[in-house]
Amino acid sequence: MMEYTSDEMMTVAAARLLRDGNSCFVGIGLPSAAANLARLTHAPHTVLIYESGTIGTRPEVLPLSIGDGELADTADCIVPLPEIFAYWLQGGRIDVGFLGAAQIDRFGNLNSTVIGDYRHPKTRLPGAGGAPEIAAHAKQTFVVLRQSRRSFVERIDFRSSGGFLGGGDERDRSGAPGAGPQQVITDFGVLRPHPETRELLLAAIYPGIDPAAAQAACGWPLGRFATLESIEPPSRAHLEALRALHERSDRAHAVHHPLPI
């Protein structure tokens, strides 16, 4: 068995959750790596959609942003931004919204806006972009986020994207059509919502990880399902594809492209 890092385990675990043929609205960073790994391995017919309007894109390297030309060069088509959101997302045509964030709370609400007080922040983050709409309208959302007491917090500093709001049926009453965050993939395992309270619980764990360590790395008293699943380690095929993807991306992004004068 090949050795692997915790980031590789997390990315492979996230990729495995995508099914072949899914339409997936992809965020930049870890979500993009996981979605493209799925496309390059077990789910070649996954339709990747980025916020810039690229549909069915098959990037050779990971994009630096949603506006990366690599996405447009390899897409089946490019549509205007309003069409992506109004026709595809709000039209119920997105199976999975794949998101990241800086903070998450026990009900899957996300913060991508600011750490600390909004007017006097410790850290000003890039912002949510289209994530609020994706979190509301995708049939379900997956969240990929490294777990710590700083990122999994009792109360997020700013609610950029709604999960299950205050828990229970509050999301249903809000009118959000999507099912919300059904999988939260961390570097310890996977959290899923309780069917009634909608609080995130530890559902699955990686090889060699002590569930107590996952619970200790959470800012709220993290519960767990009665039966804790064991997640298989990454396969050789997944690891080789992921490492090749990162190597191609690093080489491509190291090249300086001067702007035409």
Side-chain angles (χ1 to χ4, degrees), residues 83-97:
E83 183 173 327
I84 279 288
F85 282 91
Y87 179 78
W88 289 85
L89 183 60
Q90 295 179 18
R93 293 175 171 82
I94 303 299
D95 295 315
V96 176

PDB file of all heavy atoms in Angstrom, residues 83-97:
ATOM      1  N   GLU A  83     -27.193  32.891 -16.576  1.00  0.00           N
ATOM      2  CA  GLU A  83     -27.763  31.616 -17.022  1.00  0.00           C
ATOM      3  C   GLU A  83     -27.312  30.464 -16.115  1.00  0.00           C
ATOM      4  O   GLU A  83     -28.088  29.557 -15.831  1.00  0.00           O
ATOM      5  CB  GLU A  83     -27.358  31.338 -18.463  1.00  0.00           C
ATOM      6  CG  GLU A  83     -27.998  30.053 -19.002  1.00  0.00           C
ATOM      7  CD  GLU A  83     -27.735  29.844 -20.487  1.00  0.00           C
ATOM      8  OE1 GLU A  83     -27.652  30.861 -21.209  1.00  0.00           O
ATOM      9  OE2 GLU A  83     -27.613  28.688 -20.903  1.00  0.00           O
ATOM     10  N   ILE A  84     -26.047  30.529 -15.683  1.00  0.00           N
ATOM     11  CA  ILE A  84     -25.561  29.480 -14.765  1.00  0.00           C
ATOM     12  C   ILE A  84     -26.430  29.422 -13.515  1.00  0.00           C
ATOM     13  O   ILE A  84     -26.840  28.355 -13.054  1.00  0.00           O
ATOM     14  CB  ILE A  84     -24.090  29.750 -14.382  1.00  0.00           C
ATOM     15  CG1 ILE A  84     -23.166  29.245 -15.482  1.00  0.00           C
ATOM     16  CG2 ILE A  84     -23.718  29.077 -13.065  1.00  0.00           C
ATOM     17  CD1 ILE A  84     -23.051  27.731 -15.570  1.00  0.00           C
ATOM     18  N   PHE A  85     -26.709  30.593 -12.955  1.00  0.00           N
ATOM     19  CA  PHE A  85     -27.449  30.612 -11.697  1.00  0.00           C
ATOM     20  C   PHE A  85     -28.957  30.446 -11.909  1.00  0.00           C
ATOM     21  O   PHE A  85     -29.608  29.691 -11.184  1.00  0.00           O
ATOM     22  CB  PHE A  85     -27.148  31.913 -10.939  1.00  0.00           C
ATOM     23  CG  PHE A  85     -25.804  31.867 -10.259  1.00  0.00           C
ATOM     24  CD1 PHE A  85     -24.669  32.306 -10.910  1.00  0.00           C
ATOM     25  CD2 PHE A  85     -25.676  31.347  -8.979  1.00  0.00           C
ATOM     26  CE1 PHE A  85     -23.417  32.241 -10.294  1.00  0.00           C
ATOM     27  CE2 PHE A  85     -24.436  31.272  -8.360  1.00  0.00           C
ATOM     28  CZ  PHE A  85     -23.307  31.712  -9.017  1.00  0.00           C
ATOM     29  N   ALA A  86     -29.517  31.137 -12.888  1.00  0.00           N
ATOM     30  CA  ALA A  86     -30.975  31.121 -13.041  1.00  0.00           C
ATOM     31  C   ALA A  86     -31.470  29.831 -13.688  1.00  0.00           C
ATOM     32  O   ALA A  86     -32.496  29.267 -13.263  1.00  0.00           O
ATOM     33  CB  ALA A  86     -31.423  32.320 -13.871  1.00  0.00           C
ATOM     34  N   TYR A  87     -30.769  29.371 -14.712  1.00  0.00           N
ATOM     35  CA  TYR A  87     -31.259  28.196 -15.445  1.00  0.00           C
ATOM     36  C   TYR A  87     -30.739  26.899 -14.861  1.00  0.00           C
ATOM     37  O   TYR A  87     -31.496  25.960 -14.635  1.00  0.00           O
ATOM     38  CB  TYR A  87     -30.878  28.305 -16.919  1.00  0.00           C
ATOM     39  CG  TYR A  87     -31.320  27.113 -17.744  1.00  0.00           C
ATOM     40  CD1 TYR A  87     -32.649  26.992 -18.158  1.00  0.00           C
ATOM     41  CD2 TYR A  87     -30.419  26.109 -18.095  1.00  0.00           C
ATOM     42  CE1 TYR A  87     -33.058  25.889 -18.893  1.00  0.00           C
ATOM     43  CE2 TYR A  87     -30.824  25.008 -18.836  1.00  0.00           C
ATOM     44  CZ  TYR A  87     -32.139  24.902 -19.235  1.00  0.00           C
ATOM     45  OH  TYR A  87     -32.548  23.810 -19.965  1.00  0.00           O
ATOM     46  N   TRP A  88     -29.436  26.839 -14.586  1.00  0.00           N
ATOM     47  CA  TRP A  88     -28.849  25.585 -14.114  1.00  0.00           C
ATOM     48  C   TRP A  88     -29.038  25.391 -12.618  1.00  0.00           C
ATOM     49  O   TRP A  88     -29.557  24.368 -12.178  1.00  0.00           O
ATOM     50  CB  TRP A  88     -27.359  25.541 -14.479  1.00  0.00           C
ATOM     51  CG  TRP A  88     -27.148  25.363 -15.947  1.00  0.00           C
ATOM     52  CD1 TRP A  88     -27.134  26.337 -16.897  1.00  0.00           C
ATOM     53  CD2 TRP A  88     -26.993  24.128 -16.636  1.00  0.00           C
ATOM     54  NE1 TRP A  88     -26.965  25.796 -18.134  1.00  0.00           N
ATOM     55  CE2 TRP A  88     -26.868  24.437 -18.009  1.00  0.00           C
ATOM     56  CE3 TRP A  88     -26.931  22.796 -16.237  1.00  0.00           C
ATOM     57  CZ2 TRP A  88     -26.700  23.466 -18.974  1.00  0.00           C
ATOM     58  CZ3 TRP A  88     -26.744  21.817 -17.193  1.00  0.00           C
ATOM     59  CH2 TRP A  88     -26.635  22.155 -18.544  1.00  0.00           C
ATOM     60  N   LEU A  89     -28.623  26.345 -11.830  1.00  0.00           N
ATOM     61  CA  LEU A  89     -28.662  26.149 -10.371  1.00  0.00           C
ATOM     62  C   LEU A  89     -30.082  26.278  -9.835  1.00  0.00           C
ATOM     63  O   LEU A  89     -30.609  25.334  -9.229  1.00  0.00           O
ATOM     64  CB  LEU A  89     -27.725  27.160  -9.702  1.00  0.00           C
ATOM     65  CG  LEU A  89     -27.599  27.050  -8.177  1.00  0.00           C
ATOM     66  CD1 LEU A  89     -27.077  25.672  -7.774  1.00  0.00           C
ATOM     67  CD2 LEU A  89     -26.669  28.126  -7.633  1.00  0.00           C
ATOM     68  N   GLN A  90     -30.718  27.406 -10.056  1.00  0.00           N
ATOM     69  CA  GLN A  90     -32.066  27.583  -9.533  1.00  0.00           C
ATOM     70  C   GLN A  90     -33.075  26.703 -10.254  1.00  0.00           C
ATOM     71  O   GLN A  90     -34.165  26.457  -9.735  1.00  0.00           O
ATOM     72  CB  GLN A  90     -32.473  29.054  -9.631  1.00  0.00           C
ATOM     73  CG  GLN A  90     -31.617  29.954  -8.747  1.00  0.00           C
ATOM     74  CD  GLN A  90     -31.989  31.419  -8.845  1.00  0.00           C
ATOM     75  OE1 GLN A  90     -33.075  31.766  -9.305  1.00  0.00           O
ATOM     76  NE2 GLN A  90     -31.091  32.284  -8.420  1.00  0.00           N
ATOM     77  N   GLY A  91     -32.719  26.216 -11.423  1.00  0.00           N
ATOM     78  CA  GLY A  91     -33.584  25.300 -12.152  1.00  0.00           C
ATOM     79  C   GLY A  91     -33.503  23.866 -11.647  1.00  0.00           C
ATOM     80  O   GLY A  91     -34.146  22.973 -12.201  1.00  0.00           O
ATOM     81  N   GLY A  92     -32.713  23.626 -10.614  1.00  0.00           N
ATOM     82  CA  GLY A  92     -32.645  22.288 -10.019  1.00  0.00           C
ATOM     83  C   GLY A  92     -31.827  21.302 -10.820  1.00  0.00           C
ATOM     84  O   GLY A  92     -32.025  20.084 -10.710  1.00  0.00           O
ATOM     85  N   ARG A  93     -30.876  21.781 -11.620  1.00  0.00           N
ATOM     86  CA  ARG A  93     -30.099  20.897 -12.493  1.00  0.00           C
ATOM     87  C   ARG A  93     -28.724  20.541 -11.910  1.00  0.00           C
ATOM     88  O   ARG A  93     -27.934  19.889 -12.582  1.00  0.00           O
ATOM     89  CB  ARG A  93     -29.935  21.552 -13.867  1.00  0.00           C
ATOM     90  CG  ARG A  93     -31.255  21.660 -14.621  1.00  0.00           C
ATOM     91  CD  ARG A  93     -31.105  22.423 -15.926  1.00  0.00           C
ATOM     92  NE  ARG A  93     -32.319  22.336 -16.723  1.00  0.00           N
ATOM     93  CZ  ARG A  93     -33.392  23.102 -16.544  1.00  0.00           C
ATOM     94  NH1 ARG A  93     -33.397  24.030 -15.588  1.00  0.00           N
ATOM     95  NH2 ARG A  93     -34.464  22.944 -17.294  1.00  0.00           N
ATOM     96  N   ILE A  94     -28.440  20.953 -10.684  1.00  0.00           N
ATOM     97  CA  ILE A  94     -27.141  20.665 -10.073  1.00  0.00           C
ATOM     98  C   ILE A  94     -27.318  19.599  -8.995  1.00  0.00           C
ATOM     99  O   ILE A  94     -28.038  19.792  -8.011  1.00  0.00           O
ATOM    100  CB  ILE A  94     -26.536  21.938  -9.441  1.00  0.00           C
ATOM    101  CG1 ILE A  94     -26.398  23.038 -10.505  1.00  0.00           C
ATOM    102  CG2 ILE A  94     -25.190  21.618  -8.810  1.00  0.00           C
ATOM    103  CD1 ILE A  94     -25.489  22.693 -11.666  1.00  0.00           C
ATOM    104  N   ASP A  95     -26.657  18.456  -9.185  1.00  0.00           N
ATOM    105  CA  ASP A  95     -26.775  17.368  -8.208  1.00  0.00           C
ATOM    106  C   ASP A  95     -26.006  17.679  -6.933  1.00  0.00           C
ATOM    107  O   ASP A  95     -26.482  17.406  -5.826  1.00  0.00           O
ATOM    108  CB  ASP A  95     -26.237  16.063  -8.812  1.00  0.00           C
ATOM    109  CG  ASP A  95     -27.070  15.592  -9.987  1.00  0.00           C
ATOM    110  OD1 ASP A  95     -28.311  15.618  -9.867  1.00  0.00           O
ATOM    111  OD2 ASP A  95     -26.474  15.199 -11.016  1.00  0.00           O
ATOM    112  N   VAL A  96     -24.788  18.185  -7.105  1.00  0.00           N
ATOM    113  CA  VAL A  96     -23.907  18.399  -5.949  1.00  0.00           C
ATOM    114  C   VAL A  96     -23.243  19.771  -6.049  1.00  0.00           C
ATOM    115  O   VAL A  96     -22.696  20.128  -7.091  1.00  0.00           O
ATOM    116  CB  VAL A  96     -22.802  17.319  -5.882  1.00  0.00           C
ATOM    117  CG1 VAL A  96     -21.839  17.611  -4.731  1.00  0.00           C
ATOM    118  CG2 VAL A  96     -23.408  15.930  -5.729  1.00  0.00           C
ATOM    119  N   GLY A  97     -23.306  20.529  -4.976  1.00  0.00           N
ATOM    120  CA  GLY A  97     -22.500  21.731  -4.845  1.00  0.00           C
ATOM    121  C   GLY A  97     -21.321  21.400  -3.950  1.00  0.00           C
ATOM    122  O   GLY A  97     -21.500  20.951  -2.818  1.00  0.00           O
TER     123      GLY A  97
END
